[in-house]
Amino acid sequence: MIKMEKPNHGWFDIDKTLITGDNRPEDHVLKAISKVPNRGVNTQRSLGQTEKVIASGEVNLPCIIHAGGEVWNLGGEMIKSFPINIETRKLLAKLILENKDSIDLARFYPEGDRKVWIYVANDELEEKFSKLYLPTNSFGKLTRSIDEYLEWFVNTSTTNTTIRTKEKTILPISSELADAVEFDNSAKNDYFITAKGVKKVTTLLWLCEYLGLDPKDVLTAGDSLATDSEVFKHTIGISVGPELLPHAKMSAQSIDELVVLLDNIYNAND
């Protein structure tokens, strides 16, 4: 481990960094991150999904959700959003309509709203996602009509959308659309989409400026090559998982190793 001052501020990814699956972090994980004096999360999750696993009292910094799309105080108000403009939403709607036979699911959260609006292609997905969102108080609207969904999507301000394709389907992304949005397709069959220039790293840098922090003094942890390695370029990054991510200053091969690493940093004698 490199010798360093104990960072006063830190933001953590959630999935595969603090938890596996959809459970709450274990007590020893929460205890370890609580040693960071000021802490928040930086996640692809929605507000409701985030609050399902991290209670508002377990963080004391504004939190980044929707892969950079919005900044919230958990249990409180939205601080900042970076919406997808209507012309880009029309391009995305065109992509979905033209490839509807290859799409199992499409969803978005209206800007500043915890309730998801979702299209599903079959009974199995309707049952699955109804059960998934109800416990988080984030179930909004669901339709089996792609036309109805696209009318919602085009006419509703949002910072994010997800398109899930059928297995082994690759969406044909036009150069015009590629120039208008950020695509994260690191998860199997899922395209997570935000406005151009809006990512976990850009919103973290915005938030550091908003709070008057130097990113070089900020601790971060994550597991995603596509998103977290970019964060590590600017921060004290901890790569979590078997694969060592570029630009990380430290690494932990598992969640339990992250706990040990944080304990070592914050329990070390001055």
Side-chain angles (χ1 to χ4, degrees):
M1 183 182 73
I2 63 173
K3 183 174 176 57
M4 54 179 281
E5 297 296 322
K6 300 175 185 179
N8 287 318
H9 298 80
W11 277 272
F12 295 82
D13 179 44
I14 292 179
D15 296 291
K16 299 181 182 178
T17 300
L18 301 180
I19 60 170
T20 36
D22 205 32
N23 299 314
R24 291 250 306 145
E26 295 184 25
D27 288 344
H28 70 297
V29 178
L30 291 171
K31 183 178 179 181
I33 66 172
S34 73
K35 295 177 181 180
V36 185
N38 302 288
R39 59 206 174 271
V41 297
N42 184 359
T43 179
Q44 191 179 85
R45 286 173 170 247
S46 68
L47 182 64
Q49 291 170 322
T50 299
E51 291 174 337
K52 181 180 178 183
V53 298
I54 301 290
S56 58
E58 291 161 351
V59 292
N60 53 15
L61 285 174
C63 293
I64 299 165
I65 63 169
H66 295 314
E70 297 179 4
V71 179
W72 283 77
N73 285 321
L74 295 193
E77 75 284 358
M78 185 175 73
I79 295 171
K80 181 69 173 177
S81 64
F82 300 92
I84 301 169
N85 65 49
I86 189 169
E87 294 306 319
T88 302
R89 297 201 305 271
K90 289 178 180 178
L91 289 175
L92 287 165
K94 182 173 182 287
L95 173 72
I96 292 170
L97 187 61
E98 290 177 349
N99 296 275
K100 62 182 180 180
D101 293 338
S102 301
I103 292 173
D104 277 339
L105 173 151
R107 65 185 174 210
F108 72 95
Y109 288 79
E111 182 182 4
D113 197 331
R114 66 171 59 242
K115 295 186 183 295
V116 68
W117 296 13
I118 185 168
Y119 159 78
V120 292
N122 55 56
D123 292 340
E124 180 182 356
L125 288 171
E126 181 171 352
E127 181 179 3
K128 175 182 177 179
F129 283 93
S130 297
K131 290 180 179 178
L132 175 67
Y133 291 117
L134 284 172
T136 66
N137 192 33
S138 58
F139 187 80
K141 297 182 179 181
L142 182 145
T143 183
R144 296 285 287 274
S145 165
I146 196 71
D147 293 326
E148 182 178 36
Y149 175 80
L150 293 178
E151 183 176 356
W152 296 344
F153 179 68
V154 168
N155 293 299
T156 308
S157 183
T158 183
T159 62
N160 66 92
T161 185
T162 302
I163 302 170
R164 177 170 298 176
T165 61
K166 299 182 187 300
E167 190 174 359
K168 298 181 180 179
T169 299
I170 298 175
L171 288 178
I173 308 300
S174 68
S175 58
E176 183 182 18
L177 186 53
D179 288 341
V181 298
E182 299 291 341
F183 281 99
D184 175 5
N185 61 346
S186 56
K188 183 180 180 181
N189 299 334
D190 277 1
Y191 293 76
F192 192 88
I193 300 162
T194 50
K196 193 66 177 179
V198 176
K199 305 179 183 180
K200 291 174 72 172
V201 62
T202 59
T203 302
L204 179 60
L205 293 174
W206 177 90
L207 188 50
C208 285
E209 183 176 4
Y210 174 80
L211 297 172
L213 304 176
D214 185 342
K216 294 194 300 292
D217 298 328
V218 167
L219 186 71
T220 58
D223 69 287
S224 170
L225 176 64
T227 58
D228 294 314
S229 58
E230 293 183 320
V231 171
F232 297 162
K233 287 182 184 179
H234 305 274
T235 63
I236 306 166
I238 304 175
S239 172
V240 181
E243 179 185 7
L244 177 62
L245 300 183
H247 311 295
K249 309 300 189 296
M250 294 171 281
S251 65
Q253 295 212 344
S254 66
I255 296 171
D256 284 342
E257 281 196 18
L258 174 63
V259 168
V260 172
L261 180 57
L262 292 173
D263 286 343
N264 288 340
I265 294 171
Y266 288 96
N267 292 343
N269 293 326
D270 294 328

